[in-house]
Amino acid sequence: MERSSLLQLIQEQLDPENTGFIGVETFASLVHSHELPLDPAKLEMLVALAQSNDEGQICYQELVDLISSKRSSSFKRAIANGQRALPRDGLLDETGLGFYKRFVRYVAYEILPCEMDRRWYFYQHRTCPPPVFMAVVTLTQIIVFLCYGARLNKWVLQTYHPEYMKSPLVYHPGHRARAWRFLTYMFMHVGLEQLGFNALLQLMIGIPLEMVHGILRISFLYLAGVLAGSLTVSITDMRAPLVGGSGGVYALCSAHLANVVMNWAGMRCPYKLLRMVLALVCMSSEVGRAVWLRFSPPLPASGPQPSFMAHLAGAIVGISMGLTILRSYEENLQDQCSWWVVLLSYATFLVFAVFWNIFAYDLLGAQIPPPP
């Protein structure tokens, strides 16, 4: 039965007077008597939703939103209020699952802090579209690194090779007019160690986040971190070039870690404290390595080494914009005031950074290294 036919049947039999409300027990009887194609998780959500109403009814529009796989903030709050009657370990008790469905369940418990959200994701998840953004970005970074490694015959500390900075992908303060470099620097890396660290986090954290929150939101967050990284370097470290996808990586990781901390009790991922400490140690070590290479280069260099400020800028984007995105699973961002505040703040920063790059270098007499 088509979704429109299902909704028409519901309205004709359960709300003929167009009151706008439907008794959930009557609806459940209709589902079983007509064998309607409604997921068990959705029926449980309807029961939970009705429990939040004193008269055991649900709004017809909320029912439409549920069947159409759309959720508003009010819908989510009602579900949260009614979920006390639902078994908390339902997904963990599922048996006979294939490998991919077990992986989907693993992702649900890794990313989402609420049992109802985990159930919703598990039953609503579709393999199409697949999480291609993080996979394509990571694969492109690996291919670019292999090409430059073979060309330069150098696999670590590539930025010390005189030909490396001539790449059209690297951000260099002398080439600020080539606007694409503010993004394409994410495909270049200092060496195998930086590429390995970024690629590992992109695959371990980025792909699960993209599976849950979708390609549009996660790609936007990643690219916002990348762009904020290069623009921050152009303001705070004006003489330094920049390579690596750390701005986007730190945006994803910081958003995820902040979401875990703020929903600590609800997160069911195993060894979360140990993993949190390990992640913070690794991320801090990577920042420390970048600071060391910037100010104490181990090899003679013809100019300043890549800046570390992109890491910090990405982390700020993740804690602000990223946390807002991750806390809005299956909700409309445009309906939230906090999203517009974050977006306006980011847009203000972009405008300021553009004017800074146009005027500040000449006004301040910045001594930037000659472009390669």
Side-chain angles (χ1 to χ4, degrees):
M1 182 180 294
E2 296 294 333
R3 181 180 300 166
S4 58
S5 302
L6 173 60
L7 295 175
Q8 183 179 2
L9 176 63
I10 292 170
Q11 188 172 22
E12 290 176 352
Q13 296 198 18
L14 302 184
D15 189 26
E17 299 179 1
N18 293 322
T19 62
F21 290 90
I22 298 173
V24 71
E25 293 182 1
T26 309
F27 173 76
S29 301
L30 179 69
V31 169
H32 295 303
S33 62
H34 287 75
E35 298 182 353
L36 300 179
L38 186 65
D39 290 339
K42 288 186 176 181
L43 189 57
E44 289 181 349
M45 289 180 185
L46 283 173
V47 174
L49 192 61
Q51 289 176 348
S52 65
N53 184 281
D54 295 335
E55 298 180 1
Q57 294 179 325
I58 58 172
C59 174
Y60 177 75
Q61 185 57 48
E62 289 174 339
L63 176 61
V64 173
D65 290 343
L66 177 64
I67 295 177
S68 303
S69 299
K70 297 178 181 178
R71 299 170 69 185
S72 63
S73 298
S74 59
F75 180 93
K76 187 174 182 180
R77 285 194 297 271
I79 286 292
N81 292 333
Q83 70 177 351
R84 59 186 177 275
L86 298 176
R88 295 183 58 83
D89 296 327
L91 284 186
L92 295 178
D93 296 334
E94 292 275 355
T95 58
L97 299 177
F99 173 78
Y100 184 74
K101 289 301 290 184
R102 290 199 302 271
F103 177 67
V104 171
R105 181 175 61 182
Y106 163 80
V107 168
Y109 278 93
E110 284 289 314
I111 303 300
L112 295 170
C114 173
E115 184 66 22
M116 287 306 306
D117 284 342
R118 290 190 281 261
R119 287 190 176 201
W120 178 276
Y121 170 73
F122 181 79
Y123 287 107
Q124 288 298 311
H125 176 75
R126 300 291 183 268
T127 56
C128 187
V132 296
F133 175 76
M134 294 311 310
V136 169
V137 167
T138 304
L139 180 61
T140 304
Q141 290 171 339
I142 293 174
I143 292 175
V144 170
F145 176 78
L146 292 176
C147 291
Y148 276 90
R151 175 184 173 186
L152 304 177
N153 195 25
K154 193 174 182 64
W155 304 98
V156 295
L157 300 178
Q158 290 184 344
T159 53
Y160 291 88
H161 195 287
E163 295 296 318
Y164 182 84
M165 287 298 174
K166 295 181 180 180
S167 169
L169 302 178
V170 173
Y171 166 79
H172 190 280
H175 289 308
R176 298 189 316 282
R178 302 175 183 178
W180 69 84
R181 291 175 178 255
F182 284 90
L183 285 175
T184 58
Y185 77 91
M186 70 179 185
F187 297 116
M188 306 289 289
H189 287 82
V190 172
L192 186 61
E193 69 288 349
Q194 186 189 27
L195 173 65
F197 179 81
N198 286 350
L200 184 64
L201 290 181
Q202 287 173 179
L203 296 178
M204 291 183 61
I205 297 180
I207 286 184
L209 287 176
E210 187 177 346
M211 288 177 63
V212 173
H213 296 281
I215 184 173
L216 293 179
R217 292 187 177 188
I218 297 306
S219 61
F220 182 80
L221 175 59
Y222 184 88
L223 295 176
V226 170
L227 183 58
S230 56
L231 291 175
T232 300
V233 169
S234 70
I235 295 172
T236 60
D237 199 358
M238 299 169 67
R239 300 185 69 251
L242 184 62
V243 297
S246 297
V249 170
Y250 274 64
L252 296 180
C253 293
S254 299
H256 178 57
L257 294 180
N259 191 43
V260 171
V261 170
M262 294 190 68
N263 299 279
W264 188 262
M267 297 300 296
R268 300 292 298 277
C269 48
Y271 309 108
K272 56 185 176 183
L273 180 58
L274 177 61
R275 293 163 64 181
M276 174 73 69
V277 173
L278 182 62
L280 292 175
V281 169
C282 291
M283 293 172 67
S284 301
S285 300
E286 171 62 17
V287 174
R289 185 195 68 86
V291 173
W292 170 63
L293 291 177
R294 173 68 178 91
F295 295 111
S296 299
L299 298 174
S302 58
Q305 288 301 294
S307 176
F308 59 91
M309 290 302 298
H311 298 72
L312 306 182
I316 293 174
V317 170
I319 294 173
S320 56
M321 179 186 295
L323 186 58
T324 303
I325 291 176
L326 299 194
R327 295 184 68 184
S328 304
Y329 170 66
E330 288 292 330
E331 295 182 30
N332 293 323
L333 287 173
Q334 59 267 28
D335 295 337
Q336 303 183 37
C337 180
S338 58
W339 170 248
W340 291 108
V341 171
V342 170
L343 208 59
L344 179 61
S345 301
Y346 188 79
T348 302
F349 165 73
L350 292 184
V351 173
F352 171 79
V354 169
F355 277 93
W356 179 277
N357 277 272
I358 295 175
F359 301 108
Y361 279 74
D362 292 333
L363 293 175
L364 297 177
Q367 301 296 319
I368 61 176

